[in-house]
Structures are given as structure tokens and as C-alpha cells.
Amino acid sequence: MGTTFEQLSEPTEAIAEAYHRWENDPDLIPMIRPNKDKEALESRHQVSVESLRQRLEHHEIYLVFADGELVGEANFMVNPGHLYSKRQHSAWIGISIGEPAGRGRGIGFEAMRYLEERIKERGIKRVELGVFEFNEHAHRLYRKLGYKEMARIPDFTYWNGQMWADIRMEKFL
């Protein structure tokens, strides 16, 4: 069956439960959100159907399935305020492979390519993303896909006893 994608238009309780699990997984927290200190790493976020509906106001979200099982999500925003480069007609992209069964199988690569195609269909020619300095696996993936480092924001997130930079990368489609 392989990897498939489905645009999220109406969240369900089951989808909200999966997001809640991923966003509160101690192994994923350092990878998916910036943390100012150790206490922030230990904090938990509530994810509900309503909070996912609110995300849909600003994000295009695609659920990622591997062999028919939900394993993650991929999303993008157009011209969000947190872009490092304030170029108009830019997308901010993000992926999260929340289920361990989905990791290490090339699904992140497929999700990135899928998002790039959706972004191109919208006529957007530039993509920006952020990757935490310690996340070498993701950094290698983005370089393999043709993303180039454009900036580093020092002391952006806490992990493993120290502060790390956020590496901003871009690609022109």
C-alpha cells in the first residue's frame, strides 16, 4: 500500500488523540517545538478537535498514512509572520512523523516532496523551514531535498542541557 496523504478538512476525536499523543511524546517534544528551558520540555499541551480546527485557519494540513495507518502529518502556511526572509509568496513547511512505525522508512522524504507539489500547485515558488541545530537527521533530509541554509537564530531552543540554534533553510521551487 505504501505512503498516502489525505488533506485534513474536518478533525475527528481519533485524529485529535493522535496529535495529542505526538505533541506530548517526550521523544518528539524537543524536535517539534522550541523550548526555553528544561521545564518547557516537561510541559504538556492539550490538543482537541477545536484546537485542530483553529490550526486549519492558517495551515493546510495533510495526514500521512503508511500502509493504511496514520503515522504523521505534513503542513504548510503561506506568508506567516515568523518567516526569517519576509519575501511574499513564501510557504513555511513542517512535518512530524509521530508514530515510531513511520520513522526511518523514507516517509519524511515523501511527505516533503508531497508538500512541495501542493505548494507549487498554489503558484508559490519559495519554501522556508526551521530545523533545530541538534536534529542532524532532519538537517540531512532537507539538504538532500535541495534546501540551503540561509540563517541561524542562536539560543533558540533548549535540549540535552544546553541551548541550540534554529537553522533556517530555503528552497526555490
Side-chain angles (χ1 to χ4, degrees):
M1 188 179 286
T3 306
T4 57
F5 303 90
E6 178 183 309
Q7 186 168 9
L8 179 60
S9 57
E10 183 55 40
T12 65
E13 283 296 332
I15 293 167
E17 286 173 17
Y19 270 77
H20 182 80
R21 186 174 59 255
W22 302 337
E23 290 190 21
N24 291 292
D25 181 331
D27 293 332
L28 292 178
I29 289 171
M31 307 297 174
I32 62 176
R33 66 177 181 242
N35 298 283
K36 302 231 181 279
D37 53 31
K38 184 179 180 186
E39 289 76 35
L41 278 172
E42 295 169 355
S43 70
R44 300 299 179 252
H45 296 166
Q46 181 64 35
V47 180
S48 65
V49 169
E50 185 55 37
S51 66
L52 287 176
R53 281 189 188 117
Q54 290 171 2
R55 286 184 197 186
L56 286 170
E57 293 175 14
H58 305 287
H59 294 77
E60 284 201 28
I61 300 174
Y62 299 88
L63 302 175
V64 181
F65 294 87
D67 301 322
E69 298 295 322
L70 178 63
V71 296
E73 65 96 21
N75 69 76
F76 72 89
M77 304 169 72
V78 178
N79 298 327
H82 59 270
L83 288 172
Y84 189 84
S85 172
K86 300 302 181 193
R87 292 181 178 196
Q88 289 297 301
H89 309 295
S90 294
W92 176 267
I93 198 169
I95 62 169
S96 179
I97 306 303
E99 299 298 331
R103 298 184 203 137
R105 298 175 49 187
I107 293 171
F109 181 88
E110 290 182 59
M112 289 294 292
R113 297 297 297 247
Y114 184 83
L115 282 179
E116 289 175 356
E117 288 302 313
R118 301 298 71 76
I119 291 166
K120 278 196 255 184
E121 288 171 358
R122 296 261 316 257
I124 298 167
K125 304 286 189 230
R126 181 182 172 275
V127 177
E128 184 175 321
L129 59 81
V131 58
F132 300 141
E133 182 179 21
F134 61 83
N135 192 347
E136 277 297 317
H137 181 76
H139 199 195
R140 278 191 307 275
L141 169 65
Y142 301 140
R143 285 192 312 260
K144 181 178 178 180
L145 286 162
Y147 287 81
K148 306 287 185 212
E149 183 174 331
M150 58 184 283
R152 285 182 182 236
I153 303 171
D155 299 324
F156 191 83
T157 192
Y158 178 87
W159 181 71
N160 204 21
Q162 71 182 69
M163 295 299 291
W164 298 83
D166 189 35
I167 301 170
R168 296 295 175 96
M169 303 180 84
E170 70 180 345
K171 179 178 178 179
F172 292 89
L173 304 176

